[in-house]
Structure formats: structure tokens, C-alpha cells
Amino acid sequence: MAMQARGAAASLVLLALLLLAATLVRGLWQGYQRHLPDPDGLRQPAAVRHGLNLHTPLFLTGYAVLAVLLLWSFAETWFFPALWPDGLSWQSWRTADWAPFWTTLWLAAAASLLCLPAALVWLEWGRNA
């Protein structure tokens, strides 16, 4: 049990490091873009670029992690060296406690409904008042 706790703590540290690195890279990129001179002296909107951008690998990594977590939620046993779980079952979903999910959903809906009018008022009248 202690090894699982250490693994969970290590995964949270890795997640925090990933978020910190992504925020740092994003901030450096925006700072670099902000200080680029424009020949006319006016900043123009950025041109739309097709293909791979800076954010594409981050999104793909996030989706890959979500796919593995979804697969892991169906896995009966899946230990480290194995590339695929030993078996898949609905057992963990059937025995799950759904109360935290419904509480989270209710709180998210309440926060959205409370903040939406404030955001609309701020966007409509914030700078003009």
C-alpha cells in the first residue's frame, strides 16, 4: 500500500512539473512574440498557420493520457512491464460510488450559473463605465 501511495504522489509531482513547464514555455513564447518589432510600427493579427503548432504535442499528450486512464478504469490487473492489461471488466464501474461525481457536477453547474452573468456584465460594460 505504501508503494501505491508513493506512486500516486510521484504522479502528482510529475503532473505539477508538466503544468509548470507548459506555463513557463507559454509565457516565454508570449513574451518573445510581444517584443518582436513590426516593420510598420503596428501590431498585426497573427497569420493562421496550418500543421503542427507549439500546442499540438501538448494536446496529443493530454488525450493519450486520458485514453490510458479510461483503459485503466476497465483493467482488472495491469502491472508495470505489461503493455496491455491482463483482462477488462466493468466491475470497477459497477461498484463505484457516484456521490462525489454528482456533487462535483452540481457545484460546477452552480458556479457556472453564478459566474456567467458576472462575466457578461464585465465584458459588456467593464471598460466603458
Side-chain angles (χ1 to χ4, degrees):
M1 197 66 172
M3 293 297 286
Q4 288 178 349
R6 278 191 231 159
S11 68
L12 289 176
V13 168
L14 288 174
L15 177 65
L17 286 174
L18 174 68
L19 292 175
L20 180 69
T23 304
L24 179 66
V25 168
R26 173 90 175 182
L28 289 173
W29 179 256
Q30 285 179 344
Y32 172 74
Q33 290 290 322
R34 191 176 307 121
H35 294 295
L36 283 179
D38 191 60
D40 298 335
L42 301 172
R43 296 289 295 166
Q44 301 295 326
V48 177
R49 289 184 251 153
H50 299 286
L52 290 178
N53 294 328
L54 180 64
H55 64 276
T56 303
L58 292 175
F59 281 123
L60 293 177
T61 302
Y63 288 134
V65 167
L66 288 177
V68 170
L69 285 175
L70 182 65
L71 178 63
W72 197 0
S73 72
F74 290 108
E76 291 175 357
T77 57
W78 192 2
F79 295 107
F80 169 63
L83 294 177
W84 193 255
D86 293 335
L88 301 173
S89 99
W90 286 92
Q91 185 62 27
S92 60
W93 284 91
R94 283 185 288 202
T95 59
D97 180 18
W98 291 96
F101 170 76
W102 293 114
T103 302
T104 303
L105 189 65
W106 177 82
L107 285 172
S112 297
L113 290 175
L114 287 173
C115 292
L116 181 63
L120 290 175
V121 166
W122 177 60
L123 289 172
E124 289 295 325
W125 298 298
R127 293 263 182 174
N128 298 335

